[in-house]
Amino acid sequence: NSQCLSSRGSLIVLEGLDRSGKTSQSTKLVTRLKGEGISVEAWRFPDRSTSVGQMISAYLANDTQLDDRTIHLLFSANRWEKRSLMESKLRSGTSLVVDRYSYSGVAFSAAKGLDIEWCKAPEVGLIAPDQVIFLGISPERAAERGGYGTERYEHLDFQRKVAQHYANLQDVSWKVIDGGLPMEDIENQIRELALDCIAKCKAGKPLANLWL
Ligand code: NYM
């Protein structure tokens, strides 16, 4: 059918510790790709605009307390509530640059001591990213960057544990960029990776589901 013949967009995920520079880099990437005439949108998780997202936001602001497994499932539910929209965007040819995804979900919850397989289970069946770009920075260096905010998890000792879990989740398909490089170098590297990924998806790489 025609949907199979038309080219699809790419799911590009940026991951990294808090203050790794992901958010600025995803914004820059989307602006740049749009400027090059590519159909692309900037997404992020948690998506705080939904009612589940508002519960997450209140938890992160320390306004509410939630059991560790409960908040884990809410983060996952927040991705599930966006799955069908994500799929239709991708199938219609729009690429998505997503600031955090299931890897944040697993790394942050596992850093609290939850079992990794348990953490991965609710992510199974979400759309698999076509490319994960990891902005690598040491927890110490991230902490030096103007300090953390006041949200939950923004502490050096916790970020160290998150970093270890990211390292365990990482596989050969991930592209790791040195987050300590000048902003412009990072921007250029990410753009190259994104263009390459978009071309592969356009050429017919099929959509897949987590967990790969
Ligand atoms: N976070 C984010 C999780 O703990 N689990 C998740 O599934 C996701 C997507 O939320 N410290 C954590 C990581 C961050 C915090 O994210 C808020 P951001 O990108 O700062 O809005």
Side-chain angles (χ1 to χ4, degrees):
N1 66 39
S2 63
Q3 200 161 55
C4 295
L5 294 171
S6 69
S7 60
R8 71 162 178 99
S10 287
L11 179 57
I12 299 168
V13 167
L14 266 74
E15 285 282 3
L17 293 178
D18 287 300
R19 304 206 57 84
S20 60
K22 277 177 303 73
T23 306
S24 340
Q25 287 297 340
S26 11
T27 311
K28 282 171 189 289
L29 175 63
V30 169
T31 307
R32 195 145 165 200
L33 294 177
K34 276 184 180 162
E36 294 173 21
I38 294 169
S39 169
V40 61
E41 289 181 11
W43 282 35
R44 69 178 308 151
F45 288 109
D47 178 334
R48 303 186 193 217
S49 70
T50 69
S51 49
V52 172
Q54 282 162 27
M55 290 174 73
I56 294 171
S57 195
Y59 170 83
L60 289 170
N62 285 302
D63 290 341
T64 56
Q65 309 303 321
L66 287 168
D67 164 78
D68 290 345
R69 287 179 180 79
T70 307
I71 184 64
H72 180 79
L73 294 173
L74 287 178
F75 272 113
S76 185
N78 188 229
R79 285 183 279 279
W80 276 104
E81 64 183 339
K82 293 287 165 179
R83 191 198 180 287
S84 62
L85 181 61
M86 186 177 260
E87 181 167 351
S88 61
K89 294 268 178 191
L90 293 169
R91 291 206 188 277
S92 73
T94 298
S95 290
L96 305 175
V97 171
V98 186
D99 182 356
R100 295 194 185 283
Y101 199 55
S102 303
Y103 313 97
S104 284
V106 176
F108 280 78
S109 291
K112 296 173 175 172
L114 296 186
D115 178 73
I116 291 167
E117 293 310 315
W118 188 91
C119 291
K120 283 169 123 177
E123 307 297 317
V124 172
L126 288 171
I127 300 175
D130 294 299
Q131 184 64 65
V132 178
I133 300 173
F134 185 78
L135 269 183
I137 184 168
S138 72
E140 293 75 19
R141 182 137 187 208
E144 283 164 13
R145 289 190 167 172
Y148 292 122
T150 54
E151 283 203 334
R152 223 182 265 264
Y153 308 149
E154 297 184 349
H155 303 284
L156 183 54
D157 50 347
F158 190 78
Q159 297 283 323
R160 283 192 179 118
K161 289 183 191 159
V162 174
Q164 279 171 10
H165 286 288
Y166 267 131
N168 294 338
L169 287 170
Q170 191 179 318
D171 67 44
V172 291
S173 72
W174 287 29
K175 304 288 183 192
V176 180
I177 295 185
D178 178 355
L181 291 172
M183 288 263 270
E184 226 177 86
D185 294 356
I186 298 177
E187 195 182 331
N188 290 332
Q189 286 189 29
I190 293 181
R191 175 181 166 274
E192 291 300 317
L193 293 171
L195 289 177
D196 195 51
C197 178
I198 290 168
K200 280 182 186 142
C201 295
K202 223 172 182 174
K205 180 187 174 220
L207 270 181
N209 286 333
L210 284 177
W211 198 273
L212 292 179

